[in-house]
Amino acid sequence: MKAIIIGGGISGLTALTELKEAGMDVLLLEKGDDVGGSIKTFYDSGFVSESGPNALQINTPELESFIRQHIPEQKIYAANAAAEKRFLVRRGKPLAAPSSPFSAVFSPLLSFPAKCRVLAEPFIRKPPGTIEEDLATFTKRRLGREFLDYTINPMVSGVYAGRPELLSVKHGFPKVYALEQNYGSLIRGAIGKMRERIKSGSTFKPHLVSFEDGMQSLAKTLAKKNKEAVRLHATVNSIARTGNRWVVTWNNADGKTESDDADHVILACAVRHFADIALPDEIKKSLLLLNAIPHPPVTSVTMGFRRETVIHPLDGFGMLIPECEKLSVLGTLFMSSLFPRRAPSGHVTLTSFIGGMRNPDLALLPDEELNGIILSDLGKLLGVTSAPVFTRVIRHKAAIPQYIVGYGTYLHLLDDLEKHFAGLHFIGQYREGISVSYCIQNARRRIREMIAKMQ
């Protein structure tokens, strides 16, 4: 049996790893000059900046085992204990964020009436029927408007670069959705989950990590283990069905056309790349519908400062900024506080994000104007008193897929294609979770299911 994977991001590389470990003949085609997709790490005069995700959340024992199996122990950096502290901005000041709806009762972030509203959450009934709610409606119903504005709105900007009024609770935040469905309340659900963990005897606690050479080293390590199967500068032109097999054609680095056939084709590239591939009409028409999924532009700007020019202690993961604060930056990560070797001695590194569904046009501004806006916000919020000594601007014109209300339509479409076209598979950020953690976990699960069906 043979498989061809299209796309060398973390989903494609995870699929490659699983298939090779199962003994299958595999070929991975990546159109770029390196693996990792949006996960890229840059080094400049002692400063480290990331193109995409800045850390990996180890959220299950299985994921931790996978990472430790493929990355040497000494190369894995655990996040500083400060990572558990997050800041949310209110009235122009970063305040420590509540870690749960219950802890919000004691947070200075919320007013007394808002805290009373949170305490009433267990008594709010689950609505009848099967209406799919957006996150804003869900939050206002269960926790109130103020909790939405100062907790959920900035959190959504930090995760999706999105807006809660558009995102589906069911598809974008399935764990939150399940709490209400299974327990009738978020607070009762959180307590119930805690009791279940205690009863099971589980001591595992989710935690953040990165790597000595940055996030891209994860992708490069997975590729290096199976380097004979990876083809860079391979631009896929077409995928066709011939009998019981799939034929894939691509242009190589020299512009010459190559082709190969396989029992399985795994599309692990971004949704926007589907339109560039010639496919059977029935498949093409369905995949073009995925173009309706919003992918807002997001620009990340990493700035390095001399430590004495930043007043804030930077004693946390970073800060998120609610839309109602009327600032431009979505959020800022305190990267040099989280992991070692992210800035030269005596300096700090701050990575800020701008654009998204909140202000997409800002992400497209010229560098000089963009940097000025970010520096102004950092001055107000963190007490930055000088220009940066280092800056790197990284633009993503189509960044994170938004799991909007009605997203189930797209998921059903992909399920139907896989049912009707044997050997065709879809894995990636647009399916079952956008984080690196979910991409790895879901790729592993789907490949194992594929292998099990062949046996």
Side-chain angles (χ1 to χ4, degrees):
M1 300 292 284
K2 182 172 184 175
I4 296 177
I5 301 168
I6 300 171
I10 196 63
S11 294
L13 291 167
T14 301
L16 171 66
T17 302
E18 291 292 314
L19 290 169
K20 292 294 286 186
E21 289 181 354
M24 184 176 285
D25 185 9
V26 191
L27 177 64
L28 183 147
L29 304 174
E30 164 57 43
K31 69 183 298 183
D33 58 4
D34 207 348
V35 295
S38 64
I39 304 176
K40 288 188 171 27
T41 305
F42 301 94
Y43 309 89
D44 303 87
S45 304
F47 291 100
V48 175
S49 51
E50 301 279 4
S51 169
N54 285 264
L56 168 67
Q57 184 181 48
I58 306 291
N59 53 9
T60 66
E62 294 76 19
L63 179 57
E64 181 161 51
S65 177
F66 177 83
I67 295 300
R68 294 190 181 280
Q69 177 185 351
H70 297 288
I71 304 291
E73 178 74 25
Q74 69 273 17
K75 299 283 187 179
I76 302 174
Y77 284 171
N80 189 298
E84 295 190 9
K85 187 176 182 180
R86 316 289 173 101
F87 292 95
L88 294 170
V89 173
R90 181 156 193 177
R91 299 187 186 94
K93 294 183 179 180
L95 302 175
S99 58
S100 67
F102 184 76
S103 66
V105 174
F106 304 98
S107 170
L109 187 73
L110 300 176
S111 67
F112 179 74
K115 292 176 181 178
C116 292
R117 182 67 178 81
V118 171
L119 286 173
E121 192 276 337
F123 306 100
I124 304 297
R125 291 185 177 182
K126 182 173 67 174
T130 57
I131 297 174
E132 185 179 348
E133 283 185 302
D134 63 78
L135 184 59
T137 301
F138 176 90
T139 304
K140 284 187 290 186
R141 176 171 59 78
R142 296 223 62 91
L143 295 160
R145 178 76 203 202
E146 192 173 326
F147 194 91
L148 167 66
D149 287 344
Y150 283 97
T151 301
I152 300 302
N153 174 279
M155 180 271 291
V156 166
S157 288
V159 175
Y160 280 93
R163 304 190 75 243
E165 293 81 6
L166 302 176
L167 293 173
S168 164
V169 179
K170 181 177 181 180
H171 297 292
F173 302 87
K175 291 183 179 180
V176 174
Y177 177 78
L179 289 179
E180 183 182 56
Q181 295 300 307
N182 298 332
Y183 296 91
S185 158
L186 303 184
I187 292 178
R188 287 204 303 270
I191 294 172
K193 286 289 186 183
M194 181 177 65
R195 286 174 175 169
E196 289 172 12
R197 285 194 296 271
I198 294 173
K199 187 176 180 180
S200 70
S202 173
T203 59
F204 178 82
K205 184 179 180 180
H207 52 282
L208 283 174
V209 303
S210 186
F211 308 97
E212 181 181 33
D213 297 320
M215 286 294 292
Q216 194 178 6
S217 63
L218 172 60
K220 288 186 173 183
T221 299
L222 294 178
K224 186 177 180 180
K225 285 178 178 287
N226 302 290
K227 60 183 179 181
E228 76 287 348
V230 176
R231 302 285 187 277
L232 299 177
H233 302 287
T235 303
V236 175
N237 299 319
S238 67
I239 303 172
R241 187 74 166 162
T242 302
N244 294 325
R245 293 176 71 79
W246 295 92
V247 177
V248 179
T249 64
W250 67 93
N251 286 344
N252 62 26
D254 298 324
K256 295 179 180 179
T257 301
E258 296 186 51
S259 68
D260 203 348
D261 63 302
D263 304 276
H264 297 270
V265 169
I266 300 162
L267 284 161
C269 54
V271 166
R272 65 183 181 276
H273 296 312
F274 293 161
D276 301 328
I277 303 172
L279 290 153
D281 287 344
E282 187 176 350
I283 298 174
K284 188 76 169 185
K285 288 177 182 178
S286 295
L287 290 182
L288 287 176
L289 297 175
L290 299 181
N291 290 336
I293 300 172
H295 287 69
V298 176
T299 296
S300 69
V301 180
T302 297
M303 292 180 170
F305 299 92
R306 294 189 304 277
R307 183 64 187 90
E308 67 271 15
T309 65
V310 181
I311 295 173
H312 193 279
L314 304 179
D315 53 339
F317 181 86
M319 64 176 178
L320 294 172
I321 305 170
E323 188 172 4
C324 58
E325 288 290 310
K326 305 298 182 184
L327 295 169
S328 300
V329 170
L330 302 176
T332 298
L333 301 178
F334 307 159
M335 291 310 301
S336 54
S337 297
L338 294 181
F339 300 110
R341 298 176 58 187
R342 293 304 185 257
S345 177
H347 294 75
V348 295
T349 302
L350 303 175
T351 298
S352 301
F353 301 89
I354 197 165
M357 296 296 288
R358 185 187 294 182
N359 289 305
D361 292 341
L362 291 183
L364 308 177
L365 291 174
D367 287 4
E368 186 175 351
E369 187 174 352
L370 192 67
N371 293 342
I373 290 172
I374 292 173
L375 195 57
S376 174
D377 282 3
L378 295 182
K380 296 172 185 175
L381 299 172
L382 302 178
V384 174
T385 59
S386 73
V389 297
F390 159 79
T391 302
R392 177 176 282 275
V393 178
I394 301 171
R395 300 178 185 275
H396 299 281
K397 293 183 179 180
I400 303 167
Q402 304 292 299
Y403 286 29
I404 56 176
V405 172
Y407 202 82
T409 301
Y410 304 116
L411 300 178
H412 292 319
L413 181 152
L414 294 170
D415 289 341
D416 288 343
L417 285 175
E418 289 180 335
K419 288 177 183 176
H420 286 100
F421 296 92
L424 185 63
H425 310 273
F426 299 91
I427 58 173
Q429 197 182 30
Y430 54 87
R431 201 176 190 189
E432 300 168 311
I434 63 170
S435 71
V436 177
S437 303
Y438 287 136
C439 286
I440 293 173
Q441 291 167 230
N442 293 325
R444 295 185 76 200
R445 178 179 61 80
R446 287 193 171 272
I447 293 303
R448 290 182 177 188
E449 289 174 354
M450 182 187 102
I451 293 170
K453 290 178 181 179
M454 295 188 298
Q455 296 173 345

